[in-house]
Structures are given as C-alpha cells and as structure tokens.
Amino acid sequence: MTRGQVFDEIAAEYDRHRPVYPDQLIDRACQVAGISSGDAVLELGCGSGQLTRGLLARGLHVTALEPGPSLIALARQNLAKAGEVEFVNARFEDAPLPRERFAAVFSASAFHWIDPEVSWQKAADVLVPGGTLALIQYCGLEEPDTKPDQDAVLAALGQVAPDAAANWPSYRDLDATVAGVEQRRGNVSQAWSWLGSYDLARDDAARLFGPACITVMPKRIEQTPDQLNAVLRTLSFYARLSPDQRQALEHEYQALYERLGRPIRASTVAALVTAVRR
C-alpha cells in the first residue's frame, strides 16, 4: 500500500490527530534559508496542512504536493484564504516541476515516503542555487522519567504485532540524537536516515547539498489510552494490523493506563534538519 493510500483512507483522523509543527522550528528553517514573505517554496507531502499553515502565516508562496486526494481536499478546506498556495495532487516522483524555482523545499514527516533514487536529486534540481532543503519530523526520545512507560508501550506492541515492534524507530537521548546527526552532517541523506531509522542514504546527496544542521525542540507528553490509540491509528504500521490486533492493542494500552493510575508518558523531540544546495 502506498503512502497516498495509507493516509488518504484515514484522512479525517490524520487531520484531527496529527500534531502541528513548532513555530520556532519553522522560523529557524526560514532563517537558515534566508527566506521571508513573498518567496516561493515547495512542500512535499502536505497532508491536510499541518506545516502548510505555518508557511503561509509567514507570507511564503507555497506549492504543496500531496498524493492523497482526500488529504489534499482537507488541506484546501483548512487553508482557504490562509495565503497564497497552489495544491498539486501528485507524487513528487511524478510531478512536473520547474528546475531552480524554489528558495526552499520543506517536508514534514513525509520525505521518507519518496523514492530515494529520486528524492535527493529532484529536491536539489527544483531549488535555486543556494536554496535550502528543510526536513522536519517528530522522534521518540529516551529519558529516565518516561522510559518505563515507553518500554511498556513498545512491549505491548511486541506482544500484539511483533513485526511492527521490531521495525520501530530507535529511541535515543537528546544528546545522542544531536550528536548522531552532527557525525553524519557531511551527507544530509545519511543524517536524515539515521535520525528516523530510514534506509534513504545515498552517496550523491553529499555532492548535491552542503553540511546538514539540526535544531531540536524536546517535549514531554501525557496521553490517555484513547489519545494514544488515536495517534497510532494515523501511523502507517496500523494499516497492516488485523481487526483483532487493533482491538488487542487498545486493550493492552487501557490495561497499562489502569496499572499506572495516570496518563501514559512519553518524551518526543521535534527535529529540523537543513542543508543548502551546493
């Protein structure tokens, strides 16, 4: 199942439960890119507009690509009169885009769905010389006060869906998260792949882009079982679970909540990785 199918089938839930991205990270990306009101930017995988709204609020002229027709319909609805935006219902791999057109290319929790044989090269191609690639996503953090809860959540997933648990992204502490990107900063594809536990690294990316830089905003969250399951239903692995597995997972998290006698805690970090086209 493709990304457009996975998320488009749950467009309303995706719109309701996926988090927005911190203003401070958007401001930082604009600062790195040297862009401001009136500049043309491209957003890859806009979903229902979680990041798009922040870009439009800064007066940027946004071309927003999204392969899911239901998601892009929601984005149009959500962002009516929010600013100057052109929506394109297409995959990045297929979209005919002008070369050297955009001052920045943004993608929030979507770049890993693009074919890496295409993504890095085409992102460089559509950027003006010196233009900036800005990738944003949320990652789990390992911190002492939330680790027991996070371990219990993952253990429950392992009981219900071992394959999904085995492929869960790695959790690291904040210092290790930043250091890992810094160690790989010479190739933005390696840095991004390591950060999100993706298989996207390509040697050519080092030729296309300058050193990667990371900015992070950690956050601690507390969730009821309903809130936790609502977010999980918007993740790609959930589409592969059977109805019985889904029900079992909901029961596991309800039981965990009752054992704890309080909301389930987690540590996350919103991470921005930028790199300038050479």
Side-chain angles (χ1 to χ4, degrees):
M1 188 177 289
T2 67
R3 174 187 180 274
Q5 293 172 313
V6 169
F7 300 119
D8 210 55
E9 289 180 357
I10 54 164
E13 284 190 285
Y14 187 99
D15 181 52
R16 190 177 303 116
H17 299 296
R18 277 297 180 103
V20 297
Y21 297 93
D23 284 334
Q24 295 92 324
L25 287 192
I26 302 174
D27 288 338
R28 175 58 180 162
C30 292
Q31 179 185 29
V32 171
I35 56 176
S36 57
S37 182
D39 286 325
V41 302
L42 175 66
E43 183 187 358
L44 307 179
C46 72
S48 55
Q50 283 79 1
L51 174 63
T52 323
R53 184 181 297 279
L55 300 177
L56 293 174
R58 287 153 180 80
L60 299 169
H61 295 180
V62 182
T63 298
L65 266 67
E66 170 54 51
S70 298
L71 282 169
I72 207 167
L74 277 173
R76 291 180 189 276
Q77 176 183 312
N78 291 341
L79 301 172
K81 301 180 181 179
E84 187 166 329
V85 56
E86 175 190 3
F87 290 105
V88 180
N89 186 198
R91 302 188 319 149
F92 185 45
E93 295 94 325
D94 304 327
L97 296 167
R99 294 176 64 91
E100 299 188 354
R101 171 71 178 87
F102 301 101
V105 171
F106 287 84
S107 188
S109 302
F111 201 74
H112 58 285
W113 289 102
I114 304 169
D115 180 356
E117 297 300 330
V118 176
S119 58
W120 304 105
Q121 181 66 61
K122 192 167 183 177
D125 289 344
V126 301
L127 282 167
V128 299
T132 298
L133 176 64
L135 305 177
I136 303 174
Q137 71 174 35
Y138 284 96
C139 303
L141 280 183
E142 183 176 288
E143 295 187 328
D145 59 339
T146 55
K147 187 178 187 302
D149 287 19
Q150 291 179 158
D151 286 349
V153 166
L154 191 57
L157 181 61
Q159 290 178 19
V160 172
D163 290 348
N167 292 311
W168 204 254
S170 300
Y171 287 1
R172 311 170 180 101
D173 65 33
L174 188 60
D175 288 343
T177 298
V178 173
V181 171
E182 292 288 348
Q183 290 165 9
R184 296 162 178 81
R185 68 191 306 263
N187 184 320
V188 64
S189 74
Q190 294 177 2
W192 190 247
S193 293
W194 181 86
L195 182 66
S197 301
Y198 304 130
D199 182 19
L200 304 176
R202 295 296 183 272
D203 291 342
D204 278 358
R207 172 181 58 82
L208 299 169
F209 295 96
C213 297
I214 184 171
T215 304
V216 293
M217 289 194 62
K219 181 181 180 180
R220 177 172 152 167
I221 59 176
E222 296 190 347
Q223 295 172 306
T224 65
D226 286 345
Q227 291 169 328
L228 175 57
N229 283 306
V231 173
L232 292 180
R233 284 193 291 270
T234 71
L235 302 183
S236 59
F237 86 92
Y238 199 84
R240 298 189 293 271
L241 300 183
S242 69
D244 287 345
Q245 286 177 307
R246 295 176 183 183
Q247 186 177 46
L249 199 59
E250 291 182 6
H251 288 163
E252 289 289 339
Y253 293 147
Q254 181 64 39
L256 173 61
Y257 176 70
E258 291 172 1
R259 288 199 305 273
L260 293 172
R262 57 165 173 76
I264 301 166
R265 296 168 181 164
S267 295
T268 67
V269 60
L272 163 71
V273 172
T274 57
V276 174
R277 178 193 156 179
R278 292 192 185 278

